[in-house]
Amino acid sequence: MTDVFMNTYHRLPVTFTQGQGVWLTDTQGKRYLDFTAGLGVNCLGHGHPKVVKAIAEQAGRLNHVCNYYQSDISIAFAERLVAACAPAGIQKVFLANSGAEANEGACKIARKYSLKKYGPGRHTIVTLKGSFHGRTITTLSATGQDKFHKDFGPFTEGFRFIPPGDLEALDQGLDQATVAGLLIEAIQGESGIIPQSAAYIEAAAKICADRDILLMFDEIQCGVGRTGTFLACEAYQVKPDLVTLAKGLSAGVPVGAVLAGKKTAEVFEIGDHGSTFGGNPLAAAAGIVVLETVNNPIFLKDIARKGERIQAALRAWNHPSIKDIRGKGLMLGLDIGAPAGTILEAALAQGLLILSAGTNTLRFLPPYVITDSEIDQGLDLLKKVLSGSP
Ligand SMILES: *Cc1c(COP(=O)(O)O)cnc(C)c1O
């Protein structure tokens, strides 16, 4: 441990030195089973041989070119990514470095789209209460949770929150005269693995289409195969205008992507937006491995199957502390009806890394490469933790 870092994270008392598959090793040589995948980032686990090889080879060849030029690897990555998202109607991509940066880019596109078509005053982005969209001033403005809104104002104007699941609030909130876009997570991650119903998402899509309000999905946590389809929104009868990705997209190398459908693909013009590191060759090389591996029907089906296996095991266990099981694929929440954050340290002592979300929910985001027997091992450790046995 060290005290040179700013005091921004509630860190658990462990320092890792290496990882392999779903296992991490700390400075004492103790091994931990990873149900967090670095908050959804290490989607192919740690030290995946193809990811390691791709990054190492790319580092030896070319690790950065400025965006006044192109690199062969970024072109290959971008083309593959757009192709992977084509079933959702995606046509173009802007590459960035993080989730917040991707959401900022999407908000800029929504604002410009509306301004050019309807003139000033129609710039509001509606988001849901309980949402999480990032930590920059603007993405905090988009985040529908009061606890993030202290100390840092004034915030960016033009964001409004509506309660999720409420069709009347949706209809009223999506005011045609003032709203440019609706930004939603199909499954809210940070606030407790809260899925929106298909009926709600499809109703939102219809209102957006009728009123020419852009439908924007924040898939930074739930995208890239996490829920068993490449994009989570593919599971619904919707065609998004914008989708943002980050976290798992380059298996551990920083990356972000703004994906645009038909209406929004041409909104940005030369000089409108940029990012020094966006489309970085190392991120592109790792991202190609993710796309090759994950965007495969058999692999995606197996993510769904593993998620169902975890859910079935938790249901069969039927422990009194389990109040609810939510989510899809390998993005699952176990509501234990009591503060979940306090359990993480006990889990760590047992050798299990797991996350909390919201207040009462344990969050599972294991690497996709987890095996059935590793799932069982993790669940056995969790049972010990929840039963309070040493
Ligand atoms: C993590 C996350 C973000 C922010 O991503 P950063 O890379 O930390 O900026 C935004 N939206 C959702 C849904 C997330 O899970």
PDB file of all heavy atoms in Angstrom, residues 97-101 103 132-135 185 189-190 218-221 246-247, ligand 1:
ATOM      1  N   ASN A  97     -11.324   6.897 -25.575  1.00  0.00           N
ATOM      2  CA  ASN A  97     -10.502   6.140 -24.618  1.00  0.00           C
ATOM      3  C   ASN A  97     -11.204   5.663 -23.377  1.00  0.00           C
ATOM      4  O   ASN A  97     -10.599   5.007 -22.539  1.00  0.00           O
ATOM      5  CB  ASN A  97      -9.351   7.015 -24.116  1.00  0.00           C
ATOM      6  CG  ASN A  97      -8.596   7.587 -25.252  1.00  0.00           C
ATOM      7  OD1 ASN A  97      -7.882   6.860 -25.911  1.00  0.00           O
ATOM      8  ND2 ASN A  97      -8.790   8.847 -25.508  1.00  0.00           N
ATOM      9  N   SER A  98     -12.434   6.066 -23.176  1.00  0.00           N
ATOM     10  CA  SER A  98     -13.106   5.709 -21.933  1.00  0.00           C
ATOM     11  C   SER A  98     -14.604   5.813 -22.146  1.00  0.00           C
ATOM     12  O   SER A  98     -15.067   6.361 -23.155  1.00  0.00           O
ATOM     13  CB  SER A  98     -12.691   6.660 -20.802  1.00  0.00           C
ATOM     14  OG  SER A  98     -13.235   7.945 -21.048  1.00  0.00           O
ATOM     15  N   GLY A  99     -15.338   5.331 -21.152  1.00  0.00           N
ATOM     16  CA  GLY A  99     -16.789   5.394 -21.224  1.00  0.00           C
ATOM     17  C   GLY A  99     -17.300   6.816 -21.182  1.00  0.00           C
ATOM     18  O   GLY A  99     -18.127   7.224 -22.006  1.00  0.00           O
ATOM     19  N   ALA A 100     -16.802   7.577 -20.218  1.00  0.00           N
ATOM     20  CA  ALA A 100     -17.276   8.958 -20.084  1.00  0.00           C
ATOM     21  C   ALA A 100     -17.014   9.730 -21.376  1.00  0.00           C
ATOM     22  O   ALA A 100     -17.867  10.484 -21.846  1.00  0.00           O
ATOM     23  CB  ALA A 100     -16.581   9.640 -18.905  1.00  0.00           C
ATOM     24  N   GLU A 101     -15.852   9.513 -21.944  1.00  0.00           N
ATOM     25  CA  GLU A 101     -15.512  10.241 -23.170  1.00  0.00           C
ATOM     26  C   GLU A 101     -16.442   9.829 -24.317  1.00  0.00           C
ATOM     27  O   GLU A 101     -16.835  10.662 -25.142  1.00  0.00           O
ATOM     28  CB  GLU A 101     -14.041   9.977 -23.532  1.00  0.00           C
ATOM     29  CG  GLU A 101     -13.521  10.938 -24.570  1.00  0.00           C
ATOM     30  CD  GLU A 101     -12.152  10.539 -25.125  1.00  0.00           C
ATOM     31  OE1 GLU A 101     -11.549   9.573 -24.638  1.00  0.00           O
ATOM     32  OE2 GLU A 101     -11.715  11.199 -26.072  1.00  0.00           O
ATOM     33  N   ASN A 103     -19.562   8.805 -23.930  1.00  0.00           N
ATOM     34  CA  ASN A 103     -20.865   9.442 -23.678  1.00  0.00           C
ATOM     35  C   ASN A 103     -20.847  10.932 -24.004  1.00  0.00           C
ATOM     36  O   ASN A 103     -21.823  11.476 -24.510  1.00  0.00           O
ATOM     37  CB  ASN A 103     -21.289   9.222 -22.220  1.00  0.00           C
ATOM     38  CG  ASN A 103     -21.862   7.829 -22.002  1.00  0.00           C
ATOM     39  OD1 ASN A 103     -22.286   7.176 -22.952  1.00  0.00           O
ATOM     40  ND2 ASN A 103     -21.884   7.375 -20.762  1.00  0.00           N
ATOM     41  N   PHE A 132     -25.930   5.671 -14.428  1.00  0.00           N
ATOM     42  CA  PHE A 132     -24.539   6.091 -14.250  1.00  0.00           C
ATOM     43  C   PHE A 132     -23.929   6.259 -15.629  1.00  0.00           C
ATOM     44  O   PHE A 132     -23.909   5.320 -16.424  1.00  0.00           O
ATOM     45  CB  PHE A 132     -23.734   5.067 -13.440  1.00  0.00           C
ATOM     46  CG  PHE A 132     -22.307   5.495 -13.245  1.00  0.00           C
ATOM     47  CD1 PHE A 132     -21.972   6.394 -12.241  1.00  0.00           C
ATOM     48  CD2 PHE A 132     -21.306   5.046 -14.090  1.00  0.00           C
ATOM     49  CE1 PHE A 132     -20.662   6.837 -12.085  1.00  0.00           C
ATOM     50  CE2 PHE A 132     -19.986   5.484 -13.936  1.00  0.00           C
ATOM     51  CZ  PHE A 132     -19.669   6.374 -12.928  1.00  0.00           C
ATOM     52  N   HIS A 133     -23.432   7.454 -15.903  1.00  0.00           N
ATOM     53  CA  HIS A 133     -22.885   7.706 -17.237  1.00  0.00           C
ATOM     54  C   HIS A 133     -21.454   8.230 -17.224  1.00  0.00           C
ATOM     55  O   HIS A 133     -20.917   8.529 -18.295  1.00  0.00           O
ATOM     56  CB  HIS A 133     -23.807   8.654 -17.997  1.00  0.00           C
ATOM     57  CG  HIS A 133     -25.183   8.078 -18.217  1.00  0.00           C
ATOM     58  ND1 HIS A 133     -25.399   6.929 -18.952  1.00  0.00           N
ATOM     59  CD2 HIS A 133     -26.411   8.454 -17.750  1.00  0.00           C
ATOM     60  CE1 HIS A 133     -26.709   6.643 -18.958  1.00  0.00           C
ATOM     61  NE2 HIS A 133     -27.334   7.539 -18.229  1.00  0.00           N
ATOM     62  N   GLY A 134     -20.837   8.363 -16.051  1.00  0.00           N
ATOM     63  CA  GLY A 134     -19.431   8.765 -16.037  1.00  0.00           C
ATOM     64  C   GLY A 134     -19.136   9.826 -15.001  1.00  0.00           C
ATOM     65  O   GLY A 134     -20.024  10.288 -14.278  1.00  0.00           O
ATOM     66  N   ARG A 135     -17.869  10.256 -14.958  1.00  0.00           N
ATOM     67  CA  ARG A 135     -17.370  11.111 -13.874  1.00  0.00           C
ATOM     68  C   ARG A 135     -16.913  12.490 -14.326  1.00  0.00           C
ATOM     69  O   ARG A 135     -16.423  13.268 -13.511  1.00  0.00           O
ATOM     70  CB  ARG A 135     -16.177  10.416 -13.215  1.00  0.00           C
ATOM     71  CG  ARG A 135     -16.519   9.114 -12.539  1.00  0.00           C
ATOM     72  CD  ARG A 135     -17.221   9.350 -11.235  1.00  0.00           C
ATOM     73  NE  ARG A 135     -17.183   8.172 -10.392  1.00  0.00           N
ATOM     74  CZ  ARG A 135     -17.371   8.203  -9.081  1.00  0.00           C
ATOM     75  NH1 ARG A 135     -17.603   9.349  -8.470  1.00  0.00           N
ATOM     76  NH2 ARG A 135     -17.341   7.099  -8.385  1.00  0.00           N
ATOM     77  N   GLU A 185     -29.312   3.030 -20.075  1.00  0.00           N
ATOM     78  CA  GLU A 185     -28.644   1.733 -19.940  1.00  0.00           C
ATOM     79  C   GLU A 185     -29.765   0.683 -19.982  1.00  0.00           C
ATOM     80  O   GLU A 185     -30.706   0.764 -19.177  1.00  0.00           O
ATOM     81  CB  GLU A 185     -27.958   1.610 -18.584  1.00  0.00           C
ATOM     82  CG  GLU A 185     -26.818   2.563 -18.305  1.00  0.00           C
ATOM     83  CD  GLU A 185     -26.567   2.700 -16.794  1.00  0.00           C
ATOM     84  OE1 GLU A 185     -25.786   1.924 -16.239  1.00  0.00           O
ATOM     85  OE2 GLU A 185     -27.183   3.585 -16.176  1.00  0.00           O
ATOM     86  N   GLY A 189     -26.003  -0.652 -14.367  1.00  0.00           N
ATOM     87  CA  GLY A 189     -24.975  -1.425 -13.677  1.00  0.00           C
ATOM     88  C   GLY A 189     -24.698  -0.923 -12.273  1.00  0.00           C
ATOM     89  O   GLY A 189     -24.988  -1.578 -11.272  1.00  0.00           O
ATOM     90  N   GLU A 190     -24.176   0.303 -12.224  1.00  0.00           N
ATOM     91  CA  GLU A 190     -23.703   0.911 -10.982  1.00  0.00           C
ATOM     92  C   GLU A 190     -24.771   0.943  -9.875  1.00  0.00           C
ATOM     93  O   GLU A 190     -24.475   0.724  -8.708  1.00  0.00           O
ATOM     94  CB  GLU A 190     -23.263   2.343 -11.325  1.00  0.00           C
ATOM     95  CG  GLU A 190     -22.770   3.183 -10.196  1.00  0.00           C
ATOM     96  CD  GLU A 190     -21.457   2.685  -9.646  1.00  0.00           C
ATOM     97  OE1 GLU A 190     -20.675   2.109 -10.423  1.00  0.00           O
ATOM     98  OE2 GLU A 190     -21.231   2.859  -8.442  1.00  0.00           O
ATOM     99  N   ASP A 218     -26.342   3.627 -23.549  1.00  0.00           N
ATOM    100  CA  ASP A 218     -25.047   3.531 -22.874  1.00  0.00           C
ATOM    101  C   ASP A 218     -24.811   2.047 -22.586  1.00  0.00           C
ATOM    102  O   ASP A 218     -25.384   1.476 -21.664  1.00  0.00           O
ATOM    103  CB  ASP A 218     -25.066   4.362 -21.586  1.00  0.00           C
ATOM    104  CG  ASP A 218     -23.754   4.240 -20.800  1.00  0.00           C
ATOM    105  OD1 ASP A 218     -22.995   3.291 -21.046  1.00  0.00           O
ATOM    106  OD2 ASP A 218     -23.519   5.093 -19.928  1.00  0.00           O
ATOM    107  N   GLU A 219     -23.997   1.419 -23.438  1.00  0.00           N
ATOM    108  CA  GLU A 219     -23.691  -0.017 -23.279  1.00  0.00           C
ATOM    109  C   GLU A 219     -22.252  -0.206 -22.804  1.00  0.00           C
ATOM    110  O   GLU A 219     -21.595  -1.187 -23.140  1.00  0.00           O
ATOM    111  CB  GLU A 219     -23.950  -0.755 -24.594  1.00  0.00           C
ATOM    112  CG  GLU A 219     -25.401  -0.696 -25.031  1.00  0.00           C
ATOM    113  CD  GLU A 219     -25.870  -1.999 -25.672  1.00  0.00           C
ATOM    114  OE1 GLU A 219     -25.118  -2.990 -25.664  1.00  0.00           O
ATOM    115  OE2 GLU A 219     -26.998  -2.003 -26.184  1.00  0.00           O
ATOM    116  N   ILE A 220     -21.783   0.754 -22.052  1.00  0.00           N
ATOM    117  CA  ILE A 220     -20.396   0.707 -21.587  1.00  0.00           C
ATOM    118  C   ILE A 220     -20.168  -0.494 -20.663  1.00  0.00           C
ATOM    119  O   ILE A 220     -19.111  -1.106 -20.685  1.00  0.00           O
ATOM    120  CB  ILE A 220     -20.048   2.065 -20.933  1.00  0.00           C
ATOM    121  CG1 ILE A 220     -19.964   3.115 -22.032  1.00  0.00           C
ATOM    122  CG2 ILE A 220     -18.770   1.988 -20.106  1.00  0.00           C
ATOM    123  CD1 ILE A 220     -20.078   4.545 -21.555  1.00  0.00           C
ATOM    124  N   GLN A 221     -21.188  -0.840 -19.889  1.00  0.00           N
ATOM    125  CA  GLN A 221     -21.065  -2.020 -19.026  1.00  0.00           C
ATOM    126  C   GLN A 221     -21.773  -3.245 -19.611  1.00  0.00           C
ATOM    127  O   GLN A 221     -21.274  -4.364 -19.518  1.00  0.00           O
ATOM    128  CB  GLN A 221     -21.635  -1.694 -17.636  1.00  0.00           C
ATOM    129  CG  GLN A 221     -21.228  -2.682 -16.578  1.00  0.00           C
ATOM    130  CD  GLN A 221     -21.415  -2.158 -15.156  1.00  0.00           C
ATOM    131  OE1 GLN A 221     -21.714  -2.908 -14.255  1.00  0.00           O
ATOM    132  NE2 GLN A 221     -21.246  -0.872 -14.932  1.00  0.00           N
ATOM    133  N   ALA A 246     -17.274   0.799 -24.082  1.00  0.00           N
ATOM    134  CA  ALA A 246     -15.927   1.034 -23.532  1.00  0.00           C
ATOM    135  C   ALA A 246     -15.502  -0.256 -22.827  1.00  0.00           C
ATOM    136  O   ALA A 246     -15.326  -1.278 -23.480  1.00  0.00           O
ATOM    137  CB  ALA A 246     -15.903   2.241 -22.587  1.00  0.00           C
ATOM    138  N   LYS A 247     -15.384  -0.183 -21.508  1.00  0.00           N
ATOM    139  CA  LYS A 247     -14.966  -1.302 -20.635  1.00  0.00           C
ATOM    140  C   LYS A 247     -14.384  -2.536 -21.342  1.00  0.00           C
ATOM    141  O   LYS A 247     -13.189  -2.612 -21.535  1.00  0.00           O
ATOM    142  CB  LYS A 247     -16.122  -1.667 -19.715  1.00  0.00           C
ATOM    143  CG  LYS A 247     -16.402  -0.527 -18.722  1.00  0.00           C
ATOM    144  CD  LYS A 247     -17.146  -0.961 -17.500  1.00  0.00           C
ATOM    145  CE  LYS A 247     -17.068   0.070 -16.409  1.00  0.00           C
ATOM    146  NZ  LYS A 247     -18.137   1.057 -16.354  1.00  0.00           N
TER     147      LYS A 247
HETATM  148  C1  LIG B   1     -18.221   2.536 -16.276  1.00  0.00           C
HETATM  149  C2  LIG B   1     -19.361   3.211 -16.908  1.00  0.00           C
HETATM  150  C3  LIG B   1     -19.251   4.496 -17.456  1.00  0.00           C
HETATM  151  C4  LIG B   1     -17.982   5.322 -17.341  1.00  0.00           C
HETATM  152  O1  LIG B   1     -16.910   4.726 -17.974  1.00  0.00           O
HETATM  153  P1  LIG B   1     -15.421   5.278 -17.701  1.00  0.00           P
HETATM  154  O2  LIG B   1     -14.572   4.484 -18.638  1.00  0.00           O
HETATM  155  O3  LIG B   1     -15.117   5.029 -16.265  1.00  0.00           O
HETATM  156  O4  LIG B   1     -15.428   6.721 -18.016  1.00  0.00           O
HETATM  157  C5  LIG B   1     -20.348   5.036 -18.088  1.00  0.00           C
HETATM  158  N1  LIG B   1     -21.508   4.341 -18.189  1.00  0.00           N
HETATM  159  C6  LIG B   1     -21.648   3.114 -17.688  1.00  0.00           C
HETATM  160  C7  LIG B   1     -22.944   2.398 -17.843  1.00  0.00           C
HETATM  161  C8  LIG B   1     -20.592   2.506 -17.011  1.00  0.00           C
HETATM  162  O5  LIG B   1     -20.749   1.289 -16.476  1.00  0.00           O
END
